[in-house]
Amino acid sequence: WDYIAEIAKPWFVKKIVLTGTESTGKSVLTGKLANHFQTVFVPETGRDIVQKTSGCTMDNLYKIAFEHAQAIKSLQPGANKLLFVDTDLTTTQSYARFLFNKELEAEPWIEEVNRFDLYLFSEPDCEFVQDGTRLSFEERNALGDHHKAFFLNKNIPLVSINGSWEDRFNQAVTRIEQLFFNKKQQSVG
């Protein structure tokens, strides 16, 4: 990494997205992973645009897709080997289908910016935190099933992470280290 020219480094950055349904710890985990690997992350833009999921419109989803892609594009040059991204275009497209039964088409550059080297899917087997902006518990779980099926229908390989907040962090770190840093899982005993 140290021998790659600064201008070329963005091309070698590995992009990791955390996806899944609402209230599964994606936002907190994205920041923790970036901190752990000493790099930057792209926060979810949806919560800045839509205050409550129930108030979302198709226009909101198009704006989310555009602004999130802009954020990925602008933060990638400052990444240290890895760029962590909270949510992605495919998730936004899945919301369009789930909420409105419509397709969300994106410009080619947005599609390109939203290609990732690893898709971590946060399973909804964790505590549900209703902050007043989210879907109900039942809707959250239905949305999680919908997102997973939507990704799989697009042949996007998902790596599930689940369990406690600490379990999710540890599973993500282990998978990232194995995939990008050739670290083998340590055996106990």
Side-chain angles (χ1 to χ4, degrees), residues 69-86:
Q70 288 283 78
I72 294 169
K73 195 173 169 183
S74 70
L75 288 170
Q76 188 169 342
N80 176 22
K81 300 179 190 124
L82 303 172
L83 177 66
F84 291 94
V85 180
D86 180 357

Side-chain angles (χ1 to χ4, degrees), residues 41-112:
F41 71 95
V42 179
E44 177 189 0
T45 57
R47 290 178 70 87
D48 295 333
I49 295 169
V50 178
Q51 299 305 311
K52 286 183 145 190
T53 305
S54 61
C56 185
T57 67
M58 276 300 289
D59 285 341
N60 293 144
L61 294 177
Y62 278 106
K63 185 174 183 178
I64 289 166
F66 177 82
E67 289 190 14
H68 199 63
Q70 288 283 78
I72 294 169
K73 195 173 169 183
S74 70
L75 288 170
Q76 188 169 342
N80 176 22
K81 300 179 190 124
L82 303 172
L83 177 66
F84 291 94
V85 180
D86 180 357
T87 311
D88 71 328
L89 175 62
T90 304
T91 304
T92 305
Q93 291 171 324
S94 179
Y95 265 104
R97 177 72 63 79
F98 183 80
L99 295 173
F100 307 110
N101 199 29
K102 292 184 177 179
E103 297 295 321
L104 187 145
E105 298 294 327
E107 295 176 42
W109 75 269
I110 294 174
E111 294 270 355
E112 183 60 35

Side-chain angles (χ1 to χ4, degrees), residues 17-54:
V17 66
L18 282 89
T19 189
T21 190
E22 300 177 348
S23 188
T24 57
K26 298 181 307 293
S27 297
V28 171
L29 185 54
T30 302
K32 282 182 71 172
L33 289 169
N35 186 53
H36 178 80
F37 287 101
Q38 300 175 353
T39 190
V40 296
F41 71 95
V42 179
E44 177 189 0
T45 57
R47 290 178 70 87
D48 295 333
I49 295 169
V50 178
Q51 299 305 311
K52 286 183 145 190
T53 305
S54 61

